[in-house]
Amino acid sequence: MNAETLKMNLLALVDTFETQEESLTQLDRAIGDGDHGVNMLRGFRALPDNLDDSSVSTILKSTGMTLMSHIGGASGPLYGFSFVKMAQVAGDEITPNNLSEVLQAFSDAIAQRGKVELNEKTMFDVIERARLAVDNGESITFEKLQTFADDTKEMIATKGRAAYFKEDSKGHVDPGAQSSVYVLNALIGDE
Ligand code: ADP
Ligand code: MG
């Protein structure tokens, strides 16, 4: 994926989050405070004015800085820091050759910032499983990413606001897991 396609995919997320705002908010209403849809939309709406499109690396870095300062909530620094970290390893293009490294940077950033592991019912479940799939030579489709998010439904949350719901967090897809399906699809879908 070159700079032009990456820019187009990331800017298309403004429309995606407009469409998905209500459903993400519903998910966050069930096991959080009901702001995840608004948060993601606020972050991506700020992107057109703040994107430095000179290269893949500057696109990722400026996206990270924008998300960090506009999303708010727990997810802002997590996504923001991840994009800044991916910028450091993506080089001139995201290709099948460096995809594994890019996803490792994404996953490591979330693990480090969120102090999170697999099966804690967060965005990390989708990001880390996408990384593992790529390492296994599998291609990443939207449908596959969606199954990773759907798998969070039966988990009990132990991180973030959802952890306050304990057993009651079961039966709902994690909002950040769902938003990371869209983010990952824009970054690496079918790459
Ligand atoms: P807030 O929880 O502050 O309202 P958001 O609603 O925007 O922020 O984001 C909630 C999402 O952030 C959760 O659904 C979860 O995926 C993710 N999240 C929260 N805490 C963590 C954490 N420690 N590690 C990984 N992801 C987390
Ligand atoms: Mg929230």
Side-chain angles (χ1 to χ4, degrees):
M1 188 175 296
N2 60 20
E4 205 182 329
T5 312
L6 179 63
K7 176 184 175 184
M8 191 181 73
N9 285 1
L10 290 173
L11 291 178
L13 284 176
V14 182
D15 286 342
T16 304
F17 284 115
E18 266 164 15
T19 312
Q20 303 299 337
E21 179 189 356
E22 185 52 36
S23 61
L24 289 170
T25 291
Q26 290 285 7
L27 293 177
D28 198 33
R29 224 172 258 145
I31 58 167
D33 57 354
D35 63 356
H36 192 59
V38 182
N39 285 346
M40 295 306 290
L41 184 56
R42 196 188 315 112
F44 279 91
R45 269 199 181 142
L47 206 51
D49 286 341
N50 291 288
L51 199 70
D52 176 348
D53 63 3
S54 4
S55 70
V56 160
S57 163
T58 63
I59 291 171
L60 292 171
K61 186 169 178 198
S62 57
T63 300
M65 304 303 279
T66 307
L67 297 182
M68 229 180 269
S69 53
H70 289 84
I71 290 186
S75 55
L78 291 168
Y79 278 131
F81 183 58
S82 306
F83 271 81
V84 171
K85 286 295 181 184
M86 286 189 281
Q88 294 169 3
V89 297
D92 296 334
E93 275 198 51
I94 300 174
T95 67
N97 288 334
N98 69 8
L99 188 55
S100 175
E101 211 184 336
V102 169
L103 282 176
Q104 183 81 59
F106 196 167
S107 182
D108 282 353
I110 300 288
Q112 192 189 330
R113 269 289 154 111
K115 301 193 171 32
V116 66
E117 294 175 9
L118 276 176
N119 301 317
E120 293 200 273
K121 197 182 180 91
T122 69
M123 57 174 73
F124 184 70
D125 288 304
V126 175
I127 297 156
E128 173 65 359
R129 285 196 171 84
R131 185 191 75 73
L132 289 167
V134 164
D135 271 11
N136 274 333
E138 298 168 35
S139 65
I140 297 292
T141 60
F142 184 88
E143 291 70 28
K144 187 174 288 176
L145 292 169
Q146 187 59 54
T147 64
F148 297 150
D150 290 344
D151 287 344
T152 64
K153 192 166 176 177
E154 294 315 312
M155 296 175 189
I156 295 172
T158 47
K159 283 286 178 327
R161 282 180 203 281
Y164 295 115
F165 291 76
K166 300 198 172 95
E167 281 278 340
D168 291 339
S169 65
K170 241 178 152 172
H172 307 277
V173 168
D174 175 65
Q178 186 59 51
S179 64
S180 70
V181 169
Y182 309 125
V183 171
L184 280 167
N185 189 55
L187 273 178
I188 61 159
D190 293 323
E191 181 58 60

